[in-house]
Amino acid sequence: MTDTTPRQVDTEDPVYAANLRRATLASSVGSALEYFDFALYGLSSALVFNTLFFSNLDPAMGVVAAFASFGVGFVARPLGGLFFGTLGDRIGRKWVLLVTIALMGGSTTLIGVLPTYESIGIWAPILLTTLRLLQGFGAGAEQAGATVLMAEYSPVRRRGFFSSLPFIGIQLGTLLAALVFTLLSSLPDDVFLAWAWRVPFLCSFVLILVAMFIRARLRETPTFVELEKHEQVEDHPIRRVFTTGFPGVVVGIGLRMAENGGSYMFQALALSFATGTAAATVDKSLATWGVTIGSLIGMAVIPLTGHLSDRYGRVPVYRAGAVFMLLYAFPAWWMLQSGNPALVITSIAIGIGIAVNTMLGPQCAMLPEMFGNRHRYLGVAMARELSAVIAGGLAGVLGAWLIAITDGNWMVPAIYMTVLATITTAATFLVPETRGRDLLLVEDAVRISTTEGAVR
């Protein structure tokens, strides 16, 4: 492949086209594995871990403890993003993505063989939490790497669309996890809790092998090749990100609050609420259909909104998603507390499929476009993973705790979601339009006005 930037490359070149397809597949499989892992853990926190690994606590606190172990993984994500993001900016994207997927997937597989609290006592939750930490450490740079990889490979005029394609893998991973749990949770409780819940964790091993085979054949991105050719690779990306790149990290965190926090609230907290806390509860096998249908909707919404961001700009499309979630928060949680299975499924499906994914579509290209070439991987990783701690990591444990101390008051999580959506809506006014930005630029877009060079 010729050492060129995506805006200069001949998109009809068969070599370029083959590498673009390979990059899309490599990123998609990694995204599918990451969100299969995290959806599994989130669903298990709501339906399994509280019973098997925190059985020494009363049921309400068992749910809080299970979600706390879920949140611990988010604490490790920024550390993983810092470590692997630095390597990604210094040695390239490809090799880092091989290591992260092995660490992330391997930890998930091992969860499937853990003994429970009944077998080994306190060591069961300790080992579960340790594997969750390792899972989060690997995932801390996985999605950032996939995002950067696709943005740097994509043709500039269609960067929003092509960058969004791997994120269909997010929906596929979530869909697979939800489908598996929907089927397994329909089994008798003694069978489900005895061994059936372990099956999807063990199946992660197959995805690891596929992803590593594909990534081993992937070429380095054109923009990083340009840095190496001109000897411009950053020696100290951490220092650069936390000085000149810091405004972009802060804005990126704001942009992710509603998307990431809302995603985990609808995938995990809403299930726990609807199946065990609401005034009128529904069967867990019915509630998980909301996640399944939402993921199917998202597989269409993500590339559609990525395409719309190529036509109308990243900011307007992103803002539309944030405002939709802002207006949807109270109706969504009212439906969840109703106890009506159709309303519960509809609430979760629309929340995941439309509210969350309308923001995720343009985000795939927007975050990499916000950062300069010499520290892009680390910048995206820090924006994604710090926000994952603040938004996604707290969504489960804080939401579960608030629901517990208010006796299942549905308005509390609705207010929480409204706050997240308000922050993201405000953040869309702090970032310039990045559509079509030259990814060889070393300056961050947040430090450049829209009319003075953010678009070249």
Side-chain angles (χ1 to χ4, degrees):
M1 177 176 172
T2 306
D3 294 338
T4 57
T5 70
R7 64 189 175 90
Q8 294 170 319
V9 77
D10 177 11
T11 57
E12 301 299 322
D13 176 21
V15 177
Y16 168 76
N19 279 295
L20 179 59
R21 287 194 299 270
R22 192 173 292 129
T24 303
L25 185 58
S27 300
S28 299
V29 173
S31 298
L33 177 59
E34 178 181 353
Y35 277 78
F36 180 74
D37 290 352
F38 276 84
L40 274 183
Y41 203 103
L43 290 167
S44 298
S45 297
L47 305 175
V48 176
F49 292 157
N50 58 315
T51 301
L52 296 183
F53 290 86
F54 301 96
S55 55
N56 57 318
L57 304 174
D58 68 75
M61 287 300 104
V63 172
V64 173
F67 276 115
S69 71
F70 184 53
V72 161
F74 289 93
V75 176
R77 289 180 69 124
L79 299 177
L82 188 67
F83 178 78
F84 289 116
T86 301
L87 289 179
D89 281 322
R90 295 188 66 179
I91 68 173
R93 325 308 192 198
K94 171 183 174 177
W95 298 110
V96 171
L97 285 171
L98 278 169
V99 175
T100 56
I101 201 163
L103 179 59
M104 182 180 64
S107 302
T108 301
T109 302
L110 289 175
I111 290 175
V113 299
L114 280 182
T116 64
Y117 189 91
E118 184 179 348
S119 300
I120 60 172
I122 193 64
W123 282 104
I126 290 175
L127 290 173
L128 177 68
T129 304
T130 301
L131 288 175
R132 173 63 174 154
L133 283 167
L134 291 174
Q135 187 189 57
F137 191 76
E142 168 62 33
Q143 202 62 63
T147 302
V148 170
L149 182 78
M150 279 311 301
E152 293 183 344
Y153 258 112
S154 300
V156 66
R157 293 183 182 276
R158 304 191 66 196
R159 186 184 292 150
F161 173 74
F162 276 99
S163 295
S164 71
L165 292 181
F167 283 71
I168 296 175
I170 291 176
Q171 307 310 307
L172 182 59
T174 304
L175 174 64
L176 286 174
L179 279 174
V180 169
F181 254 81
T182 298
L183 295 174
L184 294 179
S185 61
S186 64
L187 296 172
D189 282 348
D190 57 339
V191 175
F192 177 61
L193 294 176
W195 60 267
W197 69 271
R198 299 179 183 274
V199 173
F201 287 92
L202 297 174
C203 288
S204 294
F205 187 69
V206 178
L207 285 175
I208 299 172
L209 295 180
V210 173
M212 293 191 70
F213 174 75
I214 295 170
R215 290 184 176 185
R217 302 176 64 221
L218 186 67
R219 294 189 181 185
E220 190 53 78
T221 67
T223 52
F224 189 81
V225 169
E226 282 291 312
L227 286 179
E228 290 184 313
K229 185 169 71 174
H230 296 288
E231 298 183 350
Q232 291 182 320
V233 175
E234 178 61 53
D235 292 327
H236 305 287
I238 295 177
R239 183 172 63 191
R240 179 175 283 271
V241 162
F242 287 101
T243 53
T244 60
F246 192 67
V249 172
V250 173
V251 173
I253 291 172
L255 290 171
R256 291 257 299 160
M257 294 298 285
E259 176 266 318
N260 190 252
S263 176
Y264 285 104
M265 287 186 76
F266 279 119
Q267 285 183 37
L269 185 63
L271 282 177
S272 176
F273 179 81
T275 60
T277 309
T281 59
V282 299
D283 185 80
K284 58 180 178 289
S285 63
L286 288 175
T288 52
W289 276 107
V291 180
T292 303
I293 296 171
S295 300
L296 286 171
I297 296 171
M299 293 175 74
V301 169
I302 288 175
L304 173 62
T305 52
H307 168 69
L308 291 175
S309 75
D310 283 328
R311 294 195 61 183
Y312 304 108
R314 317 285 187 232
V315 173
V317 178
Y318 207 109
R319 187 177 297 149
V323 171
F324 181 87
M325 182 174 284
L326 181 65
L327 299 175
Y328 183 63
F330 275 85
W333 285 91
W334 176 84
M335 288 190 282
L336 285 168
Q337 64 82 39
S338 69
N340 184 310
L343 290 180
V344 169
I345 292 171
T346 299
S347 171
I348 296 173
I350 293 176
I352 294 173
I354 298 177
V356 170
N357 289 316
T358 299
M359 291 177 278
L360 187 58
Q363 182 192 111
C364 306
M366 190 177 187
L367 284 182
E369 289 170 337
M370 287 170 56
F371 294 96
N373 194 20
R374 299 180 70 184
H375 57 277
R376 179 171 296 122
Y377 197 139
L378 184 56
V380 173
M382 287 295 93
R384 286 187 58 85
E385 304 315 329
L386 290 174
S387 63
V389 175
I390 300 169
L394 286 178
V397 63
L398 179 59
W401 179 74
L402 289 172
I403 290 170
I405 66 172
T406 58
D407 295 324
N409 188 333
W410 65 272
M411 296 185 69
V412 174
I415 293 171
Y416 183 17
M417 184 171 285
T418 299
V419 170
L420 295 177
T422 301
I423 294 171
T424 294
T425 302
T428 63
F429 290 94
L430 300 178
V431 59
E433 181 54 62
T434 60
R435 177 183 56 173
R437 191 167 192 262
D438 184 356
L439 294 185
L440 283 183
L441 293 173
V442 296
E443 302 87 0
D444 289 345
V446 176
R447 301 177 63 86
I448 307 172
S449 72
T450 306
T451 57
E452 293 177 350
V455 179
R456 197 176 183 183

